[in-house]
Amino acid sequence: MLNLQAVLLVLYADQDREGAGNLEHALNLLQDQLAIGERLGDTELQALAFNDIGALIAWSAAGNAFGFYERAYHLIQDGHPGLIAIKGLAAANMASALHRSQAFDQAAPLIAEARALLLRSSATMLWPWYVNVQVVRDLHHGRAHDARRCVEDGLSRLATDPQRTDYSLHMLWYTAALLEAKLGRPREALDWLNRVRAATEFRDGAQLQVLDLKATVHAQLEEHQEAYETARLLMQVIWQHYQHERATLVSRAELRQVKAAAQAQSRAASQRVSELQHRLTEEQSVKGHYERLSVTDALTGLWNRRQFDLDCQSLSEGDGLLMIDIDHFKQINDTYSHATGDRVLQAVATCIQGTLRQDDRAYRYGGEEFAVILPGAGRNNLLTIAERIREGVQRNAPPRTPVVTVSIGGGLFDVARPEHHVRQADEALYAAKHSGRNRVCVVGDVMS
């Protein structure tokens, strides 16, 4: 007879054999195991084979899987701890199959028996199978606290079990991720999923469940690129999965059922990928729109103060900076109305924008104040452009407004003192205003 460690070795042997992940290969091995068990009268080998065949086809043919689990369960009446552990595993798998068909009441006694049998056999390494079905049941009945406590208990048991396997631990992490996702905590769910080393360490069905949950969690987090890529991987795995299954199911009837299921799953996955791709395109479009709005002044159409602060971080030696202020703007607002003031702001913005070179950038700095960055301007260009702006504003006042003038201060950026560039341009602006307004004042050859 096999001990508990041997049970696990047989149960997951198809993970390490040549052709791992190939359903035909795995089914052939399990059928050989079943035949050997029958010839030898070895109940344990037969029960393991029936249970594993059920596990291999559970994801695509849950109804048929239940029958194999049931045969494993009824083969074992009593015996040593290894046999009792297999019976407990089969009971948990039967309950899981019933959950898939929403038969929660029928699953309840099987969950209780799985727990009792696994405790009786001290099969801690199989405990995650019980935890999985118990958590699903607790969530179905709205007992989130009980579900989380069940997961915590499972983790505690595995932590102290020297015979635990990575597969068991990863399955429990998956269950924790599923619980957090169902409770609306996608970030915590993703943390659990990221602890699983690689989805390919699971059997085909479990791998599909991991990928499906991961795509769902990314979508809940509005991480649509990651959700889209995971959904595409899920579709590829589904296709590979059913290419193997197509020629290897136990009967032709099952082949027809699984082919239809494969087509339905493939269509659903394709639809999901299409929806995610559409959503991602929309998201990127909306994101670009709002990003533009976040750095643009709504009234003038110029860049705003936020964009100005960002652009100032990449100034180079010799870049020019102009600070522009509309003279007596408060008086315009008070005398002619704020609507007139808005037209003046728009007219000044248009004049500034129309005077600049291709790479120059204009900003509404705040209120009636504007800023202009002139890459590689040099002192001559700085003065020339500043004078053109000043003269253009004076010549092009909007209708039904007084003559509008601006005062301009500026200078050249000095990499030795980058933190002073705005302050020194402001000082030049104040000097222009104190000298009578409607004029340009530029700091020396460099802002120092």
Side-chain angles (χ1 to χ4, degrees):
M1 290 296 183
L2 303 177
N3 61 26
L4 276 179
Q5 186 63 38
V7 169
L8 264 294
L9 291 173
V10 173
L11 197 57
Y12 305 117
D14 58 292
Q15 298 301 309
D16 300 317
R17 293 168 178 157
E18 182 182 357
N22 186 315
L23 185 62
E24 178 181 7
H25 183 72
L27 276 176
N28 287 338
L29 290 173
L30 289 170
Q31 288 169 340
D32 289 345
Q33 178 183 324
L34 181 60
I36 292 171
E38 288 173 347
R39 286 198 300 270
L40 296 177
D42 190 324
T43 301
E44 193 163 16
L45 280 179
Q46 294 176 69
L48 280 171
F50 281 130
N51 182 81
D52 270 16
I53 292 172
L56 283 174
I57 67 172
W59 191 81
S60 56
N64 293 330
F66 182 88
F68 285 106
Y69 296 143
E70 191 173 33
R71 292 180 72 176
Y73 176 85
H74 287 301
L75 266 176
I76 301 170
Q77 301 302 318
D78 209 338
H80 63 80
L83 278 171
I84 301 304
I86 297 169
K87 186 165 187 172
L89 177 64
N93 284 333
M94 289 166 68
S96 180
L98 289 170
H99 282 170
R100 292 190 184 188
S101 60
Q102 302 298 303
F104 288 93
D105 290 341
Q106 290 178 255
L110 287 168
I111 296 173
E113 184 168 12
R115 184 179 192 279
L117 290 170
L118 293 176
L119 285 174
R120 178 180 163 191
S121 61
S122 301
T124 305
M125 66 187 75
L126 298 180
W127 197 254
W129 276 258
Y130 157 73
V131 172
N132 184 272
V133 290
Q134 183 62 55
V135 164
V136 172
R137 177 172 173 77
D138 286 338
L139 287 175
H140 175 72
H141 290 287
R143 300 193 296 259
H145 178 73
D146 291 344
R148 182 169 279 115
R149 189 167 55 185
C150 185
V151 170
E152 291 171 354
D153 173 68
L155 290 168
S156 177
R157 288 175 185 271
L158 284 185
T160 59
D161 181 12
Q163 290 187 312
R164 71 177 183 273
T165 64
D166 287 343
Y167 189 93
S168 297
L169 187 58
H170 291 179
M171 181 175 178
L172 196 53
W173 288 346
Y174 166 80
T175 302
L178 178 65
L179 171 61
E180 297 299 340
K182 293 288 187 183
L183 295 180
R185 292 160 55 90
R187 182 59 62 191
E188 289 77 3
L190 190 59
D191 289 342
W192 282 112
L193 286 173
N194 287 337
R195 296 181 69 177
V196 180
R197 292 177 188 167
T200 51
E201 292 185 5
F202 287 106
R203 292 180 173 185
D204 289 343
Q207 180 187 6
L208 293 167
Q209 290 175 326
V210 169
L211 290 173
D212 184 58
L213 178 59
K214 193 170 184 179
T216 300
V217 168
H218 280 307
Q220 289 175 343
L221 290 168
E222 298 187 358
E223 295 173 350
H224 300 298
Q225 181 67 42
E226 291 84 353
Y228 169 75
E229 291 171 357
T230 305
R232 281 188 61 85
L233 178 58
L234 173 62
M235 186 171 65
Q236 291 170 7
V237 174
I238 289 171
W239 180 247
Q240 293 168 0
H241 178 80
Y242 284 111
Q243 280 184 319
H244 290 309
E245 282 195 353
R246 195 167 46 186
T248 59
L249 291 177
V250 177
S251 69
R252 290 184 179 180
E254 287 182 353
L255 175 58
R256 288 193 295 271
Q257 292 173 3
V258 172
K259 183 178 179 180
Q263 292 170 342
Q265 290 288 346
S266 182
R267 285 194 298 270
S270 296
Q271 178 65 25
R272 185 169 185 180
V273 168
S274 178
E275 290 172 356
L276 284 168
Q277 189 172 31
H278 178 70
R279 179 70 179 272
L280 180 61
T281 301
E282 282 187 340
E283 187 84 6
Q284 289 171 340
S285 176
V286 171
K287 181 181 178 183
H289 174 70
Y290 281 105
E291 283 179 348
R292 173 74 182 183
L293 288 179
S294 71
V295 293
T296 304
D297 177 61
L299 178 64
T300 64
L302 300 182
W303 301 108
N304 63 14
R305 172 67 178 275
R306 178 184 178 190
Q307 186 64 49
F308 174 77
D309 291 339
L310 289 173
D311 290 347
C312 282
Q313 296 174 17
S314 57
L315 290 175
S316 302
E317 186 79 24
D319 288 347
L321 175 63
L322 299 178
M323 301 300 292
I324 305 167
D325 189 83
I326 301 174
D327 297 328
H328 304 297
F329 184 73
K330 183 176 185 304
Q331 184 178 338
I332 295 173
N333 267 339
D334 293 344
T335 304
Y336 294 91
S337 79
H338 286 279
T340 300
D342 287 348
R343 290 200 302 274
V344 168
L345 288 168
Q346 291 169 334
V348 171
T350 300
C351 182
I352 294 172
Q353 191 66 48
T355 307
L356 301 181
R357 303 168 305 170
Q358 182 176 352
D359 294 333
D360 299 337
R361 291 169 72 90
Y363 311 82
R364 185 179 179 190
Y365 191 75
E368 70 273 24
E369 193 169 359
F370 299 84
V372 175
I373 290 177
L374 306 167
R379 181 176 175 80
N380 290 338
N381 279 332
L382 189 73
L383 284 169
T384 299
I385 294 171
E387 281 294 340
R388 285 178 184 171
I389 292 173
R390 185 191 65 78
E391 293 171 0
V393 170
Q394 188 173 11
R395 286 196 311 267
N396 298 287
R400 299 182 298 282
T401 63
V403 173
V404 178
T405 63
V406 294
S407 299
I408 303 176
L412 299 179
F413 181 71
D414 178 10
V415 294
R417 307 182 68 188
E419 70 279 6
H420 294 295
H421 63 287
V422 174
R423 180 172 62 82
Q424 300 237 34
D426 268 333
E427 289 175 358
L429 171 61
Y430 296 147
K433 296 180 80 69
H434 292 157
S435 299
R437 295 186 171 85
N438 190 23
R439 64 189 61 212
V440 174
C441 182
V442 175
V443 178
D445 290 336
V446 294
M447 298 170 67
S448 58

